[in-house]
Amino acid sequence: MEPSYSKMEQPKRIFLWSNMRSMSTVFAKGLAHMDGVITWQHPYMANYFNSIFRNPTTFEKFPGMRTVLDEIKGSAASIDTVKDKYEGGNLRLQRDHPLTFEYIKEQLEKPLPEGKKFMFVKEHAFAIDGQYDKLPEGPSKHTFIIRHPNRLALSARKTIIRLYQYEGNPDEFDIGPGTNPLLEWDMLSKDPIYRLWNYVRENIEPNPVVIDADDLQNHTSDVMRKYCEAVGIPWKEKYLSWPASDEYTKFEYINEQLEKPLPEGKKFMFVKEHAFAIDGHYDKLPEGPSKHTFIIRHPNRLALSARKTLIRLYQYEGNPDEFDIGPGTNPLLEWDMLSKDPIYRLWNYVRENLEPNPVVIDADDLQNHTSDVMRKYCEAVGIPWKEKYLSWPASDEYTKYFYGAMEQVVWAKKVGMITSASVSTHIRPGAGEIPTLPKCCEEFADEFREGYRVMYEHRIKPDRV
């Protein structure tokens, strides 16, 4: 494991090549937690999977791959909606991808983000098998993690059984040549990681770093320390453990994206988010000037709309008034990790720490006094008001230019959660009186009553009430 670069020449781009089921993920998580490291997860795999899913014989030979494809994409519509975006180092699956390799190469050749010292790229060797001219130019350190073939095979079988939802005898589940759609293809060489290792030795560096998964498990400190020394990452004993949660990767990346300068020609960044998504993690909000605004809705309307959504998600066909959405029944909202009323809690945090009078609008006001509320909202946040903002095209093409977790947008459209909003042309007036609630919705609504009452008093008031 001797490094082949001097300290002055040490590359800042580090690849970890692996086979599937080689313990590369846990090792990568440890490296991702190290100081100054930005991590890319499987950028070349997107192109590999595109090749699989675009091959007309895939589903003929392996019908179970339809389920896999649906799980990966979330929705067939996500192909058209998300197109060619990288988010967090993950290239989205897409239908048209003639330049995918080139696009990946471009991204990996970009300078490191400010504050980062190393780029760590975790990838399976088969994802770029034989396409070595698509590796990024410039200094890179190629490292490899291997695992005994017996352990590899048993772990692969376990994974494929889970993917196919096979319930028979595991010892009768064949994963030999021609049975594994994720690995066994004419496009792949017999042993892609060995082939890549030889290519690296012959063309890039004569002694690439290799670690063994058993060694990593049984001699963790020695292997991780020597690995870091070999690739030029200063070693610290704290790197031997890290938080169990994977939230640090999520929040950290989101924070970085929101702190970036606006794209050329853009004057405002508008971020729509549910308050519970960052409940209690307010230190993860982006630094620098931000304007925090809130939209609230009467708890009775909130509860009835939530019930309608959950009934659709669960495909419930019984009496709606017997469908309980109280605490402990709603997997999307009712968790020990959440406070009682996340939007009220966040509003109070903003008032006490960021700005004393954050903008609040009420959904009923927005529906019934649209012009007043939208104009006052824009004035409050500094967007010059124009009457044309009261209507927009019915097409949902605008979502193609969104940033963020687009699978959630596509999924929400698919299950009917935002269908009307996504094809709207304007905000329609709302129904009249506040509805009464069936017993099954009361407990849910009660969670939000106090916060709604207080925030409602601080809302932007329309001129005509």
Side-chain angles (χ1 to χ4, degrees):
M1 269 181 38
E2 292 301 317
S4 58
Y5 293 87
S6 70
K7 290 183 179 180
M8 292 297 293
E9 298 171 325
Q10 195 67 255
K12 293 185 177 180
R13 188 192 302 120
I14 304 162
F15 283 89
L16 178 70
W17 299 103
S18 67
N19 283 317
M20 295 179 70
R21 317 309 303 161
S22 294
M23 292 186 58
S24 60
T25 299
V26 67
F27 186 54
K29 182 176 180 181
L31 290 171
H33 192 63
M34 294 179 179
D35 299 337
V37 173
I38 182 172
T39 305
W40 284 72
Q41 296 280 342
H42 301 296
Y44 290 102
M45 281 292 290
N47 185 69
Y48 176 80
F49 277 125
N50 277 328
S51 299
I52 290 176
F53 294 132
R54 292 175 79 245
N55 188 328
T57 66
T58 294
F59 303 111
E60 296 172 9
K61 293 173 63 178
F62 305 103
M65 285 298 285
R66 292 194 182 278
T67 301
V68 177
L69 176 59
D70 288 342
E71 291 174 352
I72 291 176
K73 296 177 182 176
S75 165
S78 66
I79 305 173
D80 297 320
T81 302
V82 183
K83 293 294 183 184
D84 195 27
K85 287 186 179 180
Y86 261 90
E87 295 172 6
N90 295 319
L91 184 61
R92 308 301 187 184
L93 296 173
Q94 52 193 309
R95 189 171 292 145
D96 301 311
H97 66 296
L99 297 177
T100 298
F101 267 134
E102 283 71 13
Y103 179 71
I104 297 166
K105 186 170 178 287
E106 287 176 8
Q107 304 312 301
L108 296 180
E109 289 173 349
K110 288 183 177 180
L112 292 179
E114 186 175 354
K116 298 299 182 181
K117 300 177 181 178
F118 303 93
M119 174 191 292
F120 181 76
V121 185
K122 170 184 175 286
E123 188 55 280
H124 295 311
F126 64 80
I128 198 170
D129 187 46
Q131 303 284 336
Y132 307 139
D133 59 315
K134 304 304 191 302
L135 289 168
E137 296 180 8
S140 297
K141 187 74 175 173
H142 294 271
T143 70
F144 298 80
I145 184 169
I146 57 175
R147 194 180 191 188
H148 193 284
N150 288 17
R151 299 194 194 280
L152 205 64
L154 290 174
S155 185
R157 181 183 68 172
K158 182 178 179 181
T159 296
I160 297 170
I161 282 175
R162 188 184 301 118
L163 285 176
Y164 279 124
Q165 300 178 343
Y166 175 78
E167 297 180 356
N169 183 351
D171 291 342
E172 296 177 358
F173 188 84
D174 187 9
I175 62 168
T179 64
N180 183 347
L182 301 181
L183 281 176
E184 187 58 35
W185 294 94
D186 294 338
M187 61 186 273
L188 294 182
S189 58
K190 180 181 179 182
D191 187 347
I193 195 169
Y194 183 48
R195 181 182 181 188
L196 176 57
W197 178 71
N198 278 308
Y199 173 85
V200 170
R201 292 179 71 206
E202 295 167 6
N203 297 276
I204 300 175
E205 52 183 307
N207 296 301
V209 175
V210 179
I211 62 173
D212 177 71
D214 279 7
D215 289 342
L216 179 63
Q217 278 193 285
N218 298 313
H219 308 283
T220 308
S221 180
D222 283 352
V223 172
M224 289 191 69
R225 174 178 53 81
K226 289 186 176 183
Y227 182 90
C228 286
E229 291 172 355
V231 300
I233 297 176
W235 172 248
K236 298 179 182 179
E237 287 295 320
K238 70 176 184 178
Y239 294 159
L240 291 172
S241 62
W242 45 82
S245 169
D246 64 353
E247 286 194 355
Y248 73 95
T249 58
K250 302 172 186 175
F251 280 124
E252 179 185 59
Y253 177 73
I254 296 166
N255 210 340
E256 288 176 2
Q257 304 312 301
L258 295 179
E259 290 173 354
K260 286 182 177 180
L262 293 178
E264 187 176 354
K266 300 298 182 182
K267 298 178 180 178
F268 303 94
M269 175 191 293
F270 181 77
V271 184
K272 171 186 175 288
E273 186 55 277
H274 295 305
F276 65 79
I278 197 170
D279 187 47
H281 294 280
Y282 307 139
D283 58 315
K284 304 303 192 301
L285 290 168
E287 297 181 4
S290 296
K291 189 77 173 174
H292 294 271
T293 70
F294 299 80
I295 184 168
I296 57 175
R297 193 180 192 189
H298 193 285
N300 287 21
R301 297 197 196 280
L302 204 64
L304 290 174
S305 183
R307 180 184 66 170
K308 182 179 179 181
T309 296
L310 291 171
I311 283 176
R312 187 183 298 117
L313 287 176
Y314 282 124
Q315 300 179 342
Y316 175 78
E317 297 179 356
N319 182 352
D321 290 343
E322 296 177 359
F323 187 83
D324 187 11
I325 62 168
T329 65
N330 183 347
L332 301 182
L333 280 177
E334 186 57 33
W335 296 96
D336 293 337
M337 63 186 276
L338 294 181
S339 57
K340 180 180 179 181
D341 188 346
I343 194 171
Y344 184 46
R345 181 183 182 189
L346 175 57
W347 179 71
N348 278 308
Y349 173 85
V350 170
R351 293 180 72 206
E352 295 166 6
N353 297 275
L354 302 176
E355 50 183 305
N357 297 300
V359 175
V360 179
I361 62 174
D362 178 70
D364 277 9
D365 289 341
L366 180 62
Q367 283 193 282
N368 297 314
H369 307 282
T370 307
S371 179
D372 283 353
V373 173
M374 288 190 68
R375 173 177 53 81
K376 289 188 174 185
Y377 181 89
C378 287
E379 290 171 355
V381 299
I383 297 176
W385 173 247
K386 298 179 182 180
E387 287 294 322
K388 70 177 184 178
Y389 295 158
L390 292 172
S391 62
W392 44 82
S395 170
D396 65 352
E397 287 278 313
Y398 73 101
T399 60
K400 292 184 178 180
Y401 307 102
F402 275 9
Y403 291 82
M406 291 305 300
E407 291 93 338
Q408 296 179 29
V409 176
V410 173
W411 171 75
K413 287 169 60 181
K414 181 180 179 182
V415 299
M417 292 173 66
I418 61 170
T419 303
S420 297
S422 63
V423 296
S424 65
T425 60
H426 62 284
I427 296 175
R428 294 181 296 181
E433 298 299 319
I434 300 298
T436 57
L437 292 180
K439 186 174 179 58
C440 64
C441 294
E442 289 177 353
E443 199 171 3
F444 177 93
D446 288 345
E447 294 271 312
F448 305 97
R449 291 197 189 281
E450 176 62 17
Y452 177 79
R453 182 187 64 79
V454 176
M455 293 179 70
Y456 186 80
E457 293 302 315
H458 290 79
R459 78 193 192 282
I460 288 178
K461 297 178 177 63
D463 293 334
R464 299 154 296 193
V465 179

